[in-house]
Amino acid sequence: SLILPEPAHVDVEAALSSLHAAESALARRDWRRAWTLALTAQFVARRRFLPESDAAWAESWRRRLAETYARGLECYATACLELSGAELPGAERAARELLEVAPLRETAHLLLMRALAARGNVAEALGAYDQLRTLLREELGVDPCRAVQDTYADLLA
């Protein structure tokens, strides 16, 4: 059992509530609010939870925070894409980071394709699609999801 002295602040709660609020803001198309909240979720969730502990419950929380971090990156990249302009490099950076932590996450590949295309790098976006297609074929024997295929077709048009 872990007992924290008062007044203790639990970052995990901040990460989880910020992520929930960021995803809600995305659903409402409140891009600026989603951007800010997604950053908070990422900053907190990227820190290693109780690194000195090897308890099973701590590892469970580490996995939960890893998923929170990935979803925070996804929210941030989406908000950056929608805000456009000066935020486009942030969208690309977040999508690439998301691919490092979740290489099979198709939404990460989709965000990268969209960010590259929005920055005028259509050929690189097409290359990102080809990398995903090859990865999925080799790892799982499947094709990219419909949303990714539709974005690819739009890039070709």
Side-chain angles (χ1 to χ4, degrees):
S1 172
L2 181 66
I3 299 172
L4 300 174
E6 289 297 329
H9 173 75
V10 181
D11 283 353
V12 171
E13 292 173 2
L16 296 175
S17 66
S18 292
L19 176 62
H20 175 75
E23 290 175 334
S24 295
L26 281 183
R28 291 188 316 275
R29 305 175 67 84
D30 185 350
W31 313 125
R32 181 63 55 194
R33 181 165 166 69
W35 182 90
T36 303
L37 291 163
L39 275 176
T40 300
Q42 286 176 65
F43 290 151
V44 174
R46 88 170 62 172
R47 289 183 243 151
R48 182 137 165 90
F49 179 78
L50 294 177
E52 69 284 352
S53 176
D54 60 357
W57 67 266
E59 187 55 38
S60 174
W61 276 104
R62 286 185 197 115
R63 284 190 302 275
R64 189 169 180 191
L65 283 170
E67 177 60 18
T68 298
Y69 180 63
R71 287 169 51 195
L73 285 168
E74 194 168 31
C75 284
Y76 180 74
T78 301
C80 285
L81 276 169
E82 296 299 334
L83 290 168
S84 195
E87 298 305 329
L88 290 176
E92 181 181 342
R93 192 171 45 254
R96 289 187 187 280
E97 194 166 334
L98 181 55
L99 285 172
E100 287 180 26
V101 299
L104 291 176
R105 196 178 210 126
E106 289 179 273
T107 52
H109 292 270
L110 180 59
L111 287 165
L112 179 59
M113 290 168 59
R114 289 182 57 211
L116 290 168
R119 296 188 71 196
N121 298 314
V122 175
E124 196 173 352
L126 293 169
Y129 172 83
D130 193 51
Q131 288 174 347
L132 170 62
R133 188 184 55 75
T134 301
L135 175 68
L136 291 179
R137 180 64 40 107
E138 289 174 358
E139 295 286 325
L140 304 171
V142 299
D143 291 323
C145 70
R146 176 59 43 206
V148 173
Q149 289 182 38
D150 290 347
T151 299
Y152 175 71
D154 290 344
L155 291 171
L156 290 174

